[in-house]
């Protein structure tokens, strides 16, 4: 990784939560209802049994005591805990319970099992709910099921479909956090008097210790690999003030160890992957069902060669490698012509001169108010992960009631920028906010040749005939064979030196031809191996 790319894995690693520089305020910050509070679509309370594990156990208590710094210990609050049935949210619930809070667990049901009943043989959320119930039963916490399928469809899924239809690549996780988990769900419980909403996210919220309605800060977690501030970067200050993230001070490894010590029923369960509402459905199947398929062509960006056909540009995103089904690869999607349903591909995606370091972002949202100065010396994430870029911003004030935008200047190139994704901005370890990457790239985009652009605009593409035969890269040009060729050349040079030496020594009658014969046999064997 280039030196300018900042990896903060060790800088903010927190091994002992008791040594935190910042502590949560113990002042009560009441949870204020959001606009248009509404009742649950439907709900069910699952009765809990007596705890199976005593929290008075000295070993368990001592183990948990050193991990509750991010759980606001010291005064009991009424906390709504989002419980998914996974390990992270389960450990978060136990830490909050140990910190002395009055907890109620909530499971959000957002599956589309009615639409996809033919895709699975068992209920997709049944297993999650059983694990969630078992975790609650251990400590006598009640569990309620909140149905938000309609809200999820209106606020997340429909947006995702429209973005893909327009050729962009949205981020469902960011939208789910802002619009569902900490949006529609907060609306649903706004009349129940909860002080905070908590979840198993890896992030830290620093609440003001000076005033009840003072600003809160979103900061990097103690585990930079699992850190999820990127997915939380589009929240509002009003949402942030109402949140608790108990796992913000510990690492994923520590969470797994705690799950084992707590004897959680899901302690061995794997982390979930993919988009939450799809379950076992492949994303391509979901897109095909809601957008459909439309045959288009694949063109090589550098030559304009017709390489094959595809099912629709919305199935592909910039940087995608899988699903192209082209020989002689690896091939990557480098650009898309949305109007003409053409996908441009290349085998030179990682070529240095074809990367981007400047792009525009819109739909900006700042957690602590708009930036008014100091637009340089910032950090930027363009995807979830531990790596940052140093960057600077140039603000572009909106005209005619349009939203402000900004031009982002990265310190180095990034080859995977995709319109529709989010770019999150940081100053040191504090997340400032984020914006959506726009499709209006600068002139540093991947260069598509004029021939390819002309072919893409052709009305009747049937005249292209059959796809060209793709030539695979010659094995002789591979680094491995180049290395072997170099070794053989060295052997030849040594052979010439030995031959000359042999001729000279033979004249003097001091050396026979045997060593030279053995050397040539050795060279022949090496040639066979290579």
């Amino acid at each position: 990784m280039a030196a300018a790319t900042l990896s903060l894995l060790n800088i903010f690693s927190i091994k002992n939560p008791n040594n935190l520089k910042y502590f949560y305020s113990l002042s009560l910050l009441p949870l204020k209802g959001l606009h248009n509070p509404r009742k649950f679509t439907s709900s069910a309370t699952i009765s809990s049994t007596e705890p199976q594990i005593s929290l008075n156990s000295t070993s368990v208590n001592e183990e948990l005591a050193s991990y509750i710094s991010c759980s606001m210990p010291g005064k009991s609050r009424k906390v709504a805990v989002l419980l998914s049935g996974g390990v992270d949210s389960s450990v978060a619930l136990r830490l909050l319970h140990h910190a002395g809070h009055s907890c109620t667990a909530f499971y959000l049901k957002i599956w589309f099992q009615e639409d996809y009943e033919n895709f699975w043989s068992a209920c997709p959320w049944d297993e999650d709910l059983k694990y969630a119930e078992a975790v609650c039963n251990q400590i006598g916490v009640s569990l309620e099921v909140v149905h938000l399928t309609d809200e999820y469809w209106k606020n997340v899924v429909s947006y995702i479909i429209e973005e893909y239809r327009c050729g962009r690549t949205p981020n469902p996780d960011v939208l789910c956090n802002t619009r569902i988990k900490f949006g529609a769900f907060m609306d649903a419980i706004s009349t129940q008097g909860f002080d905070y909403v908590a979840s198993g996210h890896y992030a830290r919220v620093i609440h003001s210790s000076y005033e009840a309605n003072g600003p809160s800060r979103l900061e990097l977690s103690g585990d930079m690999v699992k850190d999820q501030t990127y997915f939380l970067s589009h929240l509002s200050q009003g949402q942030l003030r109402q949140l608790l993230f108990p796992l913000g001070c510990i690492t994923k490894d520590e969470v797994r160890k705690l799950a084992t010590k707590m004897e959680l029923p899901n302690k061995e369960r794997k982390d979930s992957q993919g988009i939450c509402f799809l379950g076992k459905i492949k994303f391509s199947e979901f897109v095909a069902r809601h957008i459909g398929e439309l045959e288009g062509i694949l063109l090589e960006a550098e030559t304009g060669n017709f390489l094959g056909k595809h099912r629709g540009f919305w199935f592909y995103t910039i940087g995608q490698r899988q699903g192209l089904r082209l020989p002689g690869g690896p091939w990557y999607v480098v650009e898309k012509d949305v109007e003409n349903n053409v996908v441009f591909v290349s085998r030179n995606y990682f070529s240095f001169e074809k990367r981007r370091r400047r792009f525009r972002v819109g739909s900006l949202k700042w957690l602590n108010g708009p930036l008014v100065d100091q637009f340089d010396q910032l950090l930027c994430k363009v995807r979830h992960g531990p790596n940052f870029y140093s960057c600077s911003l140039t603000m572009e004030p909106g005209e005619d009631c349009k939203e402000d935008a900004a031009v982002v200047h990265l310190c180095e190139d990034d080859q995977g920028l995709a319109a529709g994704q989010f770019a999150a901005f940081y100053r040191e370890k504090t997340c400032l906010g984020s914006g959506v990457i726009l499709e209006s790239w600068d002139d540093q985009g991947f260069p598509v040749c004029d021939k390819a652009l002309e072919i893409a605009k052709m009305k009747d593409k049937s005249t292209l005939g059959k796809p060209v035969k793709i030539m695979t890269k010659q094995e002789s040009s591979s680094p491995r064979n180049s290395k072997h060729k170099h070794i053989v050349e060295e052997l030849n040079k040594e052979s010439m030196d030995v031959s000359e030496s042999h001729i000279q020594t033979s004249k003097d009658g001091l050396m026979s031809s045997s060593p030279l014969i053995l050397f040539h046999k050795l060279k022949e064997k090496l040639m066979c191996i290579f």
Side-chain angles (χ1 to χ4, degrees):
M1 185 183 304
T5 301
L6 303 180
S7 177
L8 305 183
L9 281 168
N10 297 319
I11 298 177
F12 302 123
S13 177
I14 302 173
K15 296 182 178 179
N16 185 357
N18 292 324
N19 293 331
L20 292 175
K21 179 179 179 181
Y22 299 99
F23 290 88
Y24 287 103
S25 166
L26 298 182
S27 60
L28 182 64
L29 298 178
L31 177 66
K32 296 183 178 180
L34 302 180
H35 297 296
N36 302 320
R38 57 181 176 275
K39 297 181 180 180
F40 298 164
T41 307
S42 63
S43 64
T45 301
I46 300 176
S47 60
S48 55
T49 61
E50 291 300 319
Q52 299 174 2
I53 297 178
S54 173
L55 284 184
N56 292 324
S57 168
T58 303
S59 60
V60 175
N61 275 345
E62 291 178 352
E63 188 69 29
L64 295 183
S66 61
Y67 292 103
I68 61 174
S69 295
C70 284
S71 298
M72 197 176 285
K75 183 177 180 180
S76 178
R77 267 80 171 192
K78 186 177 180 181
V79 182
V81 185
L82 290 170
L83 194 63
S84 66
V87 174
D88 292 337
S89 60
S90 299
V91 171
L93 172 63
R94 290 292 294 270
L95 292 176
L96 289 165
H97 186 268
H98 182 74
H101 300 305
S102 174
C103 300
T104 301
F106 292 88
Y107 177 85
L108 304 186
K109 185 180 176 185
I110 55 177
W111 301 93
F112 289 92
Q113 69 275 11
E114 293 83 2
D115 291 339
Y116 291 95
E117 58 185 359
N118 295 325
F119 281 93
W120 43 57
S121 58
C123 181
W125 49 267
D126 185 58
E127 183 180 357
D128 292 338
L129 192 55
K130 287 180 179 178
Y131 275 119
E133 181 181 6
V135 170
C136 289
N137 286 343
Q138 283 188 320
I139 54 175
V141 169
S142 63
L143 173 65
E144 295 187 15
V145 178
V146 183
H147 294 251
L148 295 175
T149 300
D150 292 341
E151 288 82 354
Y152 197 90
W153 176 265
K154 294 175 183 177
N155 294 290
V156 178
V157 181
S158 59
Y159 175 85
I160 292 172
I161 293 172
E162 186 58 31
E163 285 291 281
Y164 272 101
R165 185 178 281 120
C166 294
R168 294 184 286 270
T169 307
N171 192 305
D173 296 297
V174 175
L175 297 173
C176 184
N177 286 328
T178 57
R179 301 182 180 186
I180 302 300
K181 292 180 181 178
F182 309 125
F185 172 67
M186 281 184 169
D187 285 347
I189 64 169
S190 61
T191 60
Q192 297 189 28
F194 287 101
D195 299 316
Y196 290 98
V197 172
S199 69
H201 283 90
Y202 287 84
R204 297 177 62 202
V205 181
I206 308 299
H207 294 299
S208 173
S209 57
Y210 303 105
E211 50 184 320
N213 293 320
S216 299
R217 299 196 312 275
L218 179 64
E219 294 197 349
L220 297 170
S221 73
D223 189 327
M224 288 306 303
V225 174
K226 293 293 294 184
D227 179 79
Q228 293 174 302
T229 54
Y230 175 82
F231 297 129
L232 300 165
S233 61
H234 218 56
L235 294 173
S236 67
Q237 175 62 211
Q239 291 171 313
L240 192 62
R241 281 202 300 263
Q242 302 163 19
L243 299 180
L244 287 179
F245 297 131
L247 306 187
C249 301
I250 57 181
T251 66
K252 179 67 178 184
D253 289 342
E254 290 171 322
V255 168
R256 283 288 180 184
K257 292 177 181 178
L258 285 174
T260 300
K261 288 183 177 292
M262 295 171 180
E263 298 184 17
L264 293 179
N266 55 1
K267 61 185 178 183
E268 301 294 338
R269 201 176 189 200
K270 295 181 179 179
D271 294 337
S272 61
Q273 301 291 334
I275 301 175
C276 50
F277 71 89
L278 291 181
K280 300 177 183 178
I281 304 173
K282 293 182 179 179
F283 183 71
S284 59
E285 294 173 346
F286 173 80
V287 172
R289 176 156 184 167
H290 288 279
I291 302 181
E293 298 184 6
L294 180 63
E295 187 176 84
I297 62 173
L298 296 168
L299 296 179
E300 185 173 19
E302 294 91 341
T303 64
N305 286 337
F306 170 41
L307 303 181
K309 297 181 179 180
H310 61 78
R311 297 188 296 160
F313 68 82
W314 45 85
F315 288 97
Y316 304 93
T317 186
I318 302 299
Q320 181 174 331
R321 173 179 173 180
Q322 296 181 343
L324 294 175
R325 300 178 181 178
L326 296 174
W331 292 89
Y332 297 88
V333 175
V334 294
E335 291 291 349
K336 295 186 291 185
D337 184 335
V338 174
E339 182 178 352
N340 296 295
N341 192 27
V342 174
V343 175
F344 300 100
V345 298
S346 173
R347 288 184 282 198
N348 301 312
Y349 181 60
F350 289 96
S351 175
F352 175 80
E353 68 274 9
K354 296 170 184 175
R355 299 180 181 181
R356 297 188 177 101
R357 68 170 60 192
R358 187 174 64 172
F359 58 94
R360 295 177 67 244
V361 291
S363 300
L364 291 164
K365 185 177 287 187
W366 304 108
L367 288 164
N368 296 92
L371 297 181
V372 294
D373 55 10
Q374 295 182 340
F375 297 116
D376 55 357
Q377 297 182 346
L378 300 178
L379 300 177
C380 176
K381 278 189 180 186
V382 294
R383 62 186 60 85
H384 170 60
N387 298 326
F388 296 77
Y389 289 112
S390 292
C391 75
S392 62
L393 297 180
T394 301
M395 300 302 298
E396 295 182 345
E399 298 179 359
D400 299 328
C401 299
K402 293 183 179 179
E403 294 181 337
D404 291 350
V407 177
V408 183
H409 305 265
L410 300 180
C411 66
E412 59 182 288
D413 298 307
D414 183 277
Q415 74 279 0
L417 297 172
Q421 290 286 301
F422 283 79
F425 303 100
Y426 300 76
R427 179 170 286 120
E428 296 181 350
K429 60 182 178 180
T430 299
C431 181
L432 304 176
S434 64
V436 179
I437 299 176
L438 302 177
E439 65 272 28
S440 53
W441 308 105
D442 62 9
D443 57 3
Q444 296 185 40
F446 196 99
V448 178
C449 71
D450 292 338
K451 178 183 176 182
L453 294 174
E454 291 176 2
I455 294 175
K457 296 177 182 178
M458 290 174 54
K459 297 298 182 182
D460 184 10
K461 295 183 176 62
S462 63
T463 59
L464 293 174
K466 295 182 179 180
V468 300
K469 182 179 180 180
I470 299 175
M471 301 298 294
T472 59
K473 295 181 179 180
Q474 297 295 325
E475 293 183 0
S476 60
S477 63
S478 68
R480 180 175 181 270
N481 287 322
S482 297
K483 180 180 179 181
H484 295 160
K485 181 179 179 181
H486 174 70
I487 294 174
V488 172
E489 289 176 349
E490 289 294 322
L491 286 173
N492 284 331
K493 182 177 182 298
E494 292 180 14
S495 175
M496 291 294 294
D497 294 339
V498 172
S499 297
E500 293 176 358
S501 175
H502 168 69
I503 293 172
Q504 181 63 39
T505 54
S506 294
K507 289 180 180 179
D508 297 336
L510 299 176
M511 181 177 179
S512 69
S513 61
S514 297
L516 182 60
I517 295 173
L518 291 174
F519 181 85
H520 279 291
K521 288 183 177 180
L522 175 61
K523 189 182 78 169
E524 290 174 358
K525 290 183 178 181
L526 289 173
M527 290 288 289
C528 291
I529 294 174
F530 294 145

